Amino acid sequence: MTILRSEVRQAQQLASELFARAGIVLTAGERENIEVAGFGLGNLQEQGLELITYVNTDRYCAKELVLFPRQTCPEHLHPPVNGEPGKMETFRCRWGSVFLYVEGEPTPNIQAAIPPGSKASYTVFNEIVLHPGEQYTIPPGVKHWFQGGPEGSIVSEFSSTSRDEFDIFTDPAIERMPVIIED
Amino acid sequence: MTILRSEVRQAQQLASELFARAGIVLTAGERENIEVAGFGLGNLQEQGLELITYVNTDRYCAKELVLFPRQTCPEHLHPPVNGEPGKMETFRCRWGSVFLYVEGEPTPNIQAAIPPGSKASYTVFNEIVLHPGEQYTIPPGVKHWFQGGPEGSIVSEFSSTSRDEFDIFTDPAIERMPVIIED
């Protein structure tokens, strides 16, 4: 499943507006290169993620994640790579709110709405709700997914080295690395 | 050289105001525990740093640094610890401006003012000026110091594991870990 360049541009524009609303300053180059991950599912507004990688070295990584209102980053985990433990990541909510789900005791009546048609690909339901200033660290190898609240969300991600291409998604239809069609 | 509790409280209050002005949201607990580093020099407004450590694991670290107007974090480097290379850090300016100095070709007519009485403890003058959205990565083992611009500065620091107690300062009078006197 591909994504159109026009769709990418539109998502970049919307993400830029949320960054501005949150008071997070980006360079012009960063704004033009916001990564738009549709996960090959063809429904970016429902299942997708927008992000900027500030730095990714062999020791640490820092990103800014954007979720549109009720947009969901699908369930996945970070496996060990080259003998190193999987990616460990700390999510710190900067703006809006985010519903985060990890392995553990399922929370009754979760606040997120599972994307229709993808119910089988969401299997962990221990809920953590993050508002601005709140944060949570996801240990390596733990399945997780997250959804923007009613206004959307901006989340700073501090982590060990990021190797997105190794992420393991519960939904076998997902392709992490996008194929963009110029339109 | 010690620092008074009242001085710490005052610096925490001023740092909180700068965070609010920058639109960076903290929890009440974080605001109350802002670290105030006077480096044992007894002139916090001239040589000092205020910081919050969001997370510091054995793999990565993230902090928010505050510099008051023209406040200077003294020259230091991060040595190897337990066979690991020294701390590597990325400074991203979020608000205000910061003058950063690292080893390399000295910049003529630098914009920072070296703290009077401490000239011998500042030896590297390759200048990098960061405005909001701009960032710079300091390699392990490289001497550096930095000063807030006329309004002060808030800087996100993304790094490998932080072990401040091993930092090597050029000024032999510096004590990184503060001794606070209750007054």
Side-chain angles (χ1 to χ4, degrees):
Chain A
M1 185 79 74
T2 55
I3 189 168
L4 296 175
R5 175 65 65 190
S6 56
E7 206 180 355
V8 170
R9 290 262 177 254
Q10 191 183 20
Q12 288 174 326
Q13 180 58 35
L14 183 49
S16 285
E17 287 165 18
L18 293 186
F19 278 121
R21 210 181 298 175
I24 293 173
V25 182
L26 305 173
T27 63
E30 287 171 336
R31 278 196 303 273
E32 281 161 26
N33 288 292
I34 294 173
E35 182 183 344
V36 175
F39 302 103
L41 296 173
N43 58 354
L44 179 69
Q45 298 298 322
E46 282 182 356
Q47 294 186 84
L49 181 68
E50 294 68 41
L51 59 153
I52 291 178
T53 301
Y54 288 145
V55 60
N56 187 21
T57 76
D58 60 355
R59 303 177 74 186
Y60 59 89
C61 178
K63 300 181 183 184
E64 216 80 77
L65 313 180
V66 179
L67 294 158
F68 299 145
R70 297 292 176 186
Q71 190 184 35
T72 303
C73 177
E75 183 175 296
H76 63 284
L77 63 81
H78 306 289
V81 176
N82 299 334
E84 255 186 78
K87 183 184 178 213
M88 179 179 190
E89 51 193 26
T90 301
F91 283 4
R92 182 175 177 93
C93 181
R94 297 291 196 165
W95 182 88
S97 59
V98 61
F99 306 121
L100 170 64
Y101 300 90
V102 298
E103 295 178 35
E105 188 66 31
T107 302
N109 308 313
I110 62 169
Q111 295 187 56
I114 298 174
S118 295
K119 292 219 185 297
S121 305
Y122 291 84
T123 69
V124 303
F125 303 104
N126 188 262
E127 182 177 76
I128 299 117
V129 181
L130 298 177
H131 301 101
E134 296 174 341
Q135 64 182 47
Y136 184 85
T137 296
I138 304 163
V142 168
K143 281 183 196 160
H144 57 284
W145 60 281
F146 46 101
Q147 184 173 92
E151 288 185 299
S153 188
I154 295 182
V155 173
S156 290
E157 181 191 279
F158 315 123
S159 74
S160 56
T161 305
S162 180
R163 299 179 178 94
D164 294 337
E165 65 278 21
F166 292 105
D167 291 352
I168 297 172
F169 285 85
T170 306
D171 185 343
I174 283 179
E175 301 152 13
R176 173 64 182 86
M177 295 299 144
V179 181
I180 300 175
I181 301 296
E182 306 298 333
D183 64 336
Chain B
M1 185 78 77
T2 55
I3 189 167
L4 296 175
R5 175 66 65 192
S6 56
E7 207 180 353
V8 170
R9 290 262 177 256
Q10 191 184 19
Q12 289 174 327
Q13 180 58 36
L14 183 49
S16 285
E17 287 165 19
L18 293 186
F19 277 122
R21 210 180 299 175
I24 293 174
V25 182
L26 305 173
T27 64
E30 286 171 335
R31 277 195 303 274
E32 281 161 25
N33 288 291
I34 293 173
E35 182 183 347
V36 176
F39 303 104
L41 295 175
N43 58 354
L44 179 69
Q45 298 298 322
E46 281 182 357
Q47 294 187 80
L49 182 68
E50 295 68 43
L51 58 155
I52 290 178
T53 300
Y54 288 146
V55 60
N56 187 21
T57 76
D58 60 355
R59 302 176 76 187
Y60 59 89
C61 178
K63 300 181 182 183
E64 216 81 77
L65 313 180
V66 180
L67 294 158
F68 300 146
R70 297 292 177 185
Q71 191 184 36
T72 302
C73 177
E75 184 175 295
H76 63 284
L77 63 81
H78 307 288
V81 177
N82 299 332
E84 254 185 78
K87 185 186 178 209
M88 179 180 189
E89 51 194 27
T90 300
F91 282 6
R92 184 178 176 90
C93 181
R94 298 293 198 164
W95 181 87
S97 59
V98 61
F99 306 120
L100 170 63
Y101 301 90
V102 298
E103 294 178 35
E105 188 66 32
T107 301
N109 307 313
I110 63 167
Q111 296 188 56
I114 298 174
S118 294
K119 291 221 186 295
S121 304
Y122 291 83
T123 69
V124 302
F125 302 104
N126 187 260
E127 181 177 77
I128 299 115
V129 181
L130 298 176
H131 301 100
E134 296 174 341
Q135 65 182 46
Y136 185 84
T137 297
I138 303 164
V142 167
K143 281 185 196 158
H144 57 284
W145 61 281
F146 46 101
Q147 184 173 93
E151 290 185 298
S153 187
I154 295 182
V155 173
S156 291
E157 181 192 279
F158 315 123
S159 74
S160 56
T161 305
S162 180
R163 299 179 179 94
D164 293 337
E165 65 278 22
F166 292 105
D167 290 353
I168 297 173
F169 285 85
T170 306
D171 186 344
I174 284 179
E175 301 153 12
R176 174 64 183 87
M177 296 297 143
V179 181
I180 301 175
I181 301 293
E182 306 299 333
D183 63 338

